[in-house]
Amino acid sequence: MTDAIVAKGLKVHFQTAAGLVRAVDGVDLTVAQGAFHGIVGESGCGKTTLARALIGLQSATEGQVQILGRDRSDWARSDRKGFARAVQFIFQDPLGSMSRRQTVGQTLEEPLQIHSVGDAKARRARVAELLDLVALPATVLDRLPRSLSGGQRQRVSIARALALSPQVLICDEPLSALDVSVRAQIVNLFARLQAQLGLTIVIVAHDLAIVREVCSAVTVMYLGRVAEEGVAKALFADPAHPYSQALLSAVPSPDPRIEATRPRILLAGDPPSPRNPPPGCRFSTRCPVVEPRCRETEPALRAVQHGGAAACHLADANIHAMI
Amino acid sequence: MSRHSQNGPIYEVEGLVIDLYTPTVSVRAVDGAGFYVAPGETLAIVGESGSGKTVMTLGPLGLLPEGVAVDLRGTARADGKDILSMSPTDLSRLRGGFFGVIFQDPMSALNPMLKIGPQLAEQARRFAGLSAEEAKKEAVSLLARSGIPDPEDRYDRYPHELSGGMLQRAMIALALAARPRVLIADEPTTALDATVQAQILALIRQIQKEDGIAVILITHDIGAVSVLADRVAVLYAGQVAEEGSAIDVLTAPVHPYTRGLLASVPDFRSNNATGTKEIPGIPPNQAQLEPGCRFADRCELVQPQCRTHRPPLVKVGAGPVPHRVACPVVMAAEGIVTHD
Ligand SMILES: Nc1ncnc2c1ncn2[C@@H]1O[C@H](COP(=O)(O)OP(=O)(O)OP(=O)(O)O)[C@@H](O)[C@H]1O
Ligand SMILES: Nc1ncnc2c1ncn2[C@@H]1O[C@H](COP(=O)(O)OP(=O)(O)OP(=O)(O)O)[C@@H](O)[C@H]1O
Ligand code: SF4
Ligand SMILES: [Mg+2]
Ligand SMILES: [Mg+2]
């Protein structure tokens, strides 16, 4: 089986007045075909930039990306339409991906028109089917995106991305504007599409409970790099990287009685600026178990107990730190 | 109405009805709903997307969606004053100083053409009455207080140069710049990772303690509710289905919708893979509402009278914080008596 996405040595640096921002700074990522791959990590650690760079919405400073076995930039250049059909992106901000003047119906029909899918009647039927898929009533068809609630808008953008039945779907925070019940509907929809159509999904998400529940694989990022990766359930059961441990510990319990008494790891300090990442381990400025060597040498990803890999000097296949 | 708090409510809405008219459809966004919040207290408003959480909370302040005609009825009081009959100038002053709002869509509140810092400083200068120099200091300290690293540098950045999470923190700083007495936070943490979310919730709580402000938290995130809320109101299709203390509503929910909602929250730490349960069906079409219980079409307990009579919100249990539920069917089935 070929991998759906393989990124090697990906870097995205932004030149700003204040200096070079290393938003993504050397990421290797492999997403298996048919995987439901979660990307999690601190706000600002480069998840959106990485997701955009994977599909070419953001040009990479360095590195290559292969999608479905083909070099992404070659593919996108030589067969723009074919690429757009196969690979779809859902934005963090749903309004940003829709025209303010188009109704929901037009928004959903547009990709079908551009790719000359069916006749007008078939397209209308497909639009109705898409609305059903994302559990929106037909009455939204005549409305403008701005007049919908946040969650309704997000579902429109999901429906639009699914219109052409893509093979790879990359979504940046598609769930955060949704309420939990609709979130469950959408996640179950993704899981169904994945099982039935072999769709590969990469999802940037902050809802770790959902990631644990539905993702097959997960990548934890910190400050532009991969801190840890592995099979979602295994990694979440026994995270090896101190940052992952702190991240998971911060997930609140839905029961206020448990939440009031639950021990928590609180991270001290702020994340460093990606303009000037610390030498050595990127987490060393906040790591509760930091050692002198952490501030000098950057730890490489190495195999750890849960079967995945982590970038921490104190972690290997036999043991890891517990904070 | 009995209040559990010593001090009366600082923001209180009753019998609110909001109709929205667009050229193509009219929607009853809020249908006879109400809520209250006291100083120092956090009220969480939860409910299905489109159930009216944002419109119900911000509508009485005149913060309604643009480009639609609005018909708004009911009562709304801030600090005991009727705000629905206020002049536009008084209302806008109240909005700027008395209420601080963290909007659901960060980009809608920040001007993309202006640097972050000066926008904060302007807000602080205008509503907290600071001099230009004090306002700049205040802006930097607000950025720092909101957990933004490198605040001096961020002061001079444009909104698009910040990550989603940082923008959200800038929004919080903006909402606090006027030193409000009621903070309305519409989905303040959904764009944030768990560690930053924990920081933001701790920040809101700390500010609440220091300044004794009332907080209204509108969210889908039951975890955030569990961390922050004293009371919870559950909204369904523009009506309050259930309200009560956070512990009552989250650990002993009564209304079938609340139960369905909580069942679809995966518990990160539970070891049995529950899967993600969904409530089957979709919410009613708010352009064509039928009489009766709004949840009837999706409810497992539905009875014929549910489709004809709107269930009243009645008090269940005798706890100090009123716990109210709008479902006589579940009460009858489980022998729950009213304490009204
Ligand atoms: N166009 C840009 N110019 C300069 N800096 C940028 C630009 N886009 C992103 N950045 C910076 O790159 C870093 C990574 O941003 P990115 O949006 O990828 O983070 P993220 O992980 O998606 O965060 P969030 O979870 O908050 O959405 C941040 O420090 C951000 O400020
Ligand atoms: N500009 C508008 N024009 C017409 N209808 C609108 C407009 N804004 C909101 N509505 C409708 O009003 C109802 C309530 O919307 P509101 O934004 O309050 O929902 P919400 O509970 O905050 O949802 P979400 O959780 O998705 O933010 C929805 O049915 C929505 O479609
Ligand atoms: S390498 Fe050192 S600083 Fe980095 S996470 Fe491991 S222990 Fe902490
Ligand atoms: Mg992002
Ligand atoms: Mg809303």
Side-chain angles (χ1 to χ4, degrees):
Chain A
M1 193 166 72
T2 52
D3 289 313
I5 302 176
V6 179
K8 285 230 164 70
L10 207 58
K11 291 190 181 177
V12 181
H13 294 173
F14 296 106
Q15 194 67 59
T16 70
L20 196 63
V21 176
R22 301 162 193 275
V24 173
D25 204 20
V27 167
D28 295 335
L29 181 76
T30 303
V31 178
Q33 197 145 13
F36 202 146
H37 194 115
I39 299 181
V40 303
E42 187 123 44
S43 303
C45 71
K47 302 179 296 297
T48 295
T49 309
L50 171 65
R52 292 171 59 94
L54 289 178
I55 162 165
L57 282 170
Q58 171 68 57
S59 54
T61 313
E62 245 176 63
Q64 288 105 38
V65 180
Q66 287 205 328
I67 298 189
L68 298 170
R70 302 166 72 168
D71 182 81
R72 204 252 4 265
S73 23
D74 286 350
W75 186 5
R77 209 174 312 117
S78 61
D79 176 19
R80 199 172 53 83
K81 275 194 171 176
F83 178 73
R85 270 188 96 129
V87 185
Q88 281 287 322
F89 192 87
I90 297 176
F91 289 87
Q92 187 165 9
D93 166 20
L95 270 189
S97 59
M98 297 176 212
S99 154
R100 285 176 174 263
R101 289 199 182 79
Q102 281 187 334
T103 64
V104 170
Q106 290 163 336
T107 305
L108 293 181
E109 205 183 331
E110 189 179 61
L112 301 170
Q113 275 165 343
I114 294 176
H115 291 267
S116 323
V117 178
D119 56 13
K121 193 162 158 248
R123 287 200 291 266
R124 266 199 304 281
R126 176 69 180 148
V127 168
E129 192 179 295
L130 290 167
L131 283 185
D132 266 1
L133 273 178
V134 297
L136 282 173
T139 44
V140 300
L141 281 177
D142 294 329
R143 304 195 19 202
L144 293 174
R146 230 170 11 138
S147 81
L148 301 174
S149 80
Q152 290 167 331
R153 272 177 212 164
Q154 188 57 277
R155 281 182 277 171
V156 172
S157 76
I158 292 170
R160 181 178 155 104
L162 293 175
L164 298 167
S165 312
Q167 289 167 267
V168 176
L169 187 61
I170 299 180
C171 350
D172 191 7
E173 288 286 343
L175 304 173
S176 56
L178 306 177
D179 62 273
V180 282
S181 161
V182 179
R183 204 179 281 194
Q185 282 174 354
I186 298 287
V187 164
N188 291 340
L189 162 71
F190 281 170
R192 226 165 35 239
L193 293 169
Q194 186 207 0
Q196 288 167 4
L197 313 173
L199 181 64
T200 303
I201 304 176
V202 176
I203 183 172
V204 175
H206 285 306
D207 187 333
L208 297 175
I210 288 269
V211 171
R212 187 192 127 169
E213 202 70 52
V214 302
C215 286
S216 47
V218 66
T219 298
V220 182
M221 286 183 71
Y222 189 80
L223 204 63
R225 309 217 34 162
V226 175
E228 187 162 8
E229 63 191 10
V231 172
K233 285 217 168 57
L235 189 157
F236 282 4
D238 183 26
H241 195 288
Y243 171 67
S244 311
Q245 293 172 15
L247 180 69
L248 302 190
S249 156
V251 178
S253 163
D255 183 332
R257 294 166 306 190
I258 297 176
E259 190 49 35
T261 54
R262 186 174 70 81
R264 255 163 302 182
I265 307 163
L266 277 182
L267 278 185
D270 296 322
S273 155
R275 266 190 304 127
N276 80 69
C281 173
R282 299 202 168 205
F283 191 52
S284 59
T285 56
R286 301 164 83 198
C287 181
V289 292
V290 58
E291 296 189 349
R293 61 178 157 160
C294 304
R295 302 191 204 277
E296 281 152 25
T297 357
E298 178 149 19
L301 277 171
R302 78 272 324 259
V304 292
Q305 275 169 307
H306 58 65
C312 167
H313 285 305
L314 306 187
D316 63 30
N318 303 310
I319 195 165
H320 58 71
M322 296 281 275
I323 62 173
Chain B
M1 219 186 252
S2 68
R3 306 278 184 235
H4 78 286
S5 167
Q6 300 301 321
N7 14 10
I10 189 161
Y11 181 37
E12 178 176 31
V13 170
E14 265 173 335
L16 189 70
V17 176
I18 300 181
D19 290 322
L20 302 174
Y21 302 95
T22 69
T24 48
V25 272
S26 65
V27 174
R28 173 144 300 181
V30 180
D31 190 16
F35 62 89
Y36 61 90
V37 62
E41 177 185 65
T42 298
L43 168 72
I45 300 178
V46 300
E48 194 111 355
S49 171
S51 60
K53 302 181 295 295
T54 300
V55 169
M56 171 177 86
T57 315
L58 298 178
L61 308 181
L63 293 170
L64 280 154
E66 283 166 44
V68 278
V70 179
D71 182 15
L72 184 150
R73 282 159 287 150
T75 57
R77 282 183 295 273
D79 213 10
K81 288 190 279 286
D82 174 10
I83 55 178
L84 295 186
S85 62
M86 262 183 198
S87 72
T89 12
D90 286 347
L91 190 59
S92 106
R93 192 168 316 129
L94 191 71
R95 234 171 16 221
F98 191 86
F99 288 97
V101 183
I102 303 169
F103 290 92
Q104 187 165 7
D105 171 13
M107 284 319 234
S108 67
L110 287 165
N111 182 338
M113 309 301 284
L114 297 177
K115 291 176 179 170
I116 301 274
Q119 298 194 52
L120 288 172
E122 171 60 19
Q123 194 81 354
R125 199 187 56 70
R126 195 140 53 115
F127 294 104
L130 303 180
S131 73
E133 202 174 316
E134 287 166 339
K136 174 163 185 183
K137 257 204 215 121
E138 172 87 0
V140 172
S141 98
L142 281 166
L143 288 172
R145 210 176 154 188
S146 313
I148 293 187
D150 223 348
E152 268 101 6
D153 173 70
R154 261 40 184 244
Y155 185 95
D156 283 321
R157 297 302 193 88
Y158 290 93
H160 75 267
E161 290 180 295
L162 302 193
S163 79
M166 247 183 279
L167 264 184
Q168 197 66 7
R169 285 184 264 177
M171 285 288 309
I172 293 177
L174 189 68
L176 294 172
R179 301 185 181 162
R181 292 177 57 199
V182 179
L183 177 69
I184 298 175
D186 195 352
E187 298 287 357
T189 58
T190 37
L192 307 175
D193 69 276
T195 49
V196 180
Q197 168 175 330
Q199 283 173 0
I200 296 281
L201 295 177
L203 167 77
I204 293 177
R205 189 157 41 196
Q206 175 205 335
I207 289 161
Q208 180 173 42
K209 271 219 192 87
E210 285 168 11
D211 306 354
I213 59 178
V215 175
I216 299 178
L217 173 72
I218 303 175
T219 187
H220 293 303
D221 187 338
I222 302 298
V225 177
S226 153
V227 173
L228 209 60
D230 299 301
R231 286 190 305 114
V232 180
V234 182
L235 209 60
Y236 189 79
Q239 302 183 347
V240 176
E242 180 161 2
E243 64 164 323
S245 73
I247 290 192
D248 283 346
V249 175
L250 297 188
T251 67
V254 175
H255 195 284
Y257 171 65
T258 317
R259 289 180 179 173
L261 176 79
L262 294 175
S264 49
V265 179
D267 185 349
F268 188 61
R269 286 182 187 78
S270 98
N271 283 321
N272 36 350
T274 49
T276 41
K277 289 206 197 70
E278 46 184 278
I279 305 175
I282 56 173
N285 175 358
Q286 275 163 273
Q288 263 170 11
L289 288 170
E290 308 289 336
C293 176
R294 298 281 179 252
F295 192 55
D297 281 345
R298 302 172 76 186
C299 183
E300 287 174 359
L301 300 179
V302 63
Q303 298 293 318
Q305 74 267 23
C306 300
R307 302 196 187 272
T308 49
H309 291 83
R310 174 173 177 168
L313 199 57
V314 301
K315 197 169 160 197
V316 296
V321 182
H323 184 185
R324 293 190 178 81
V325 174
C327 177
V329 177
V330 72
M331 289 175 63
E334 297 178 12
I336 302 169
V337 294
T338 171
H339 286 69
D340 262 336

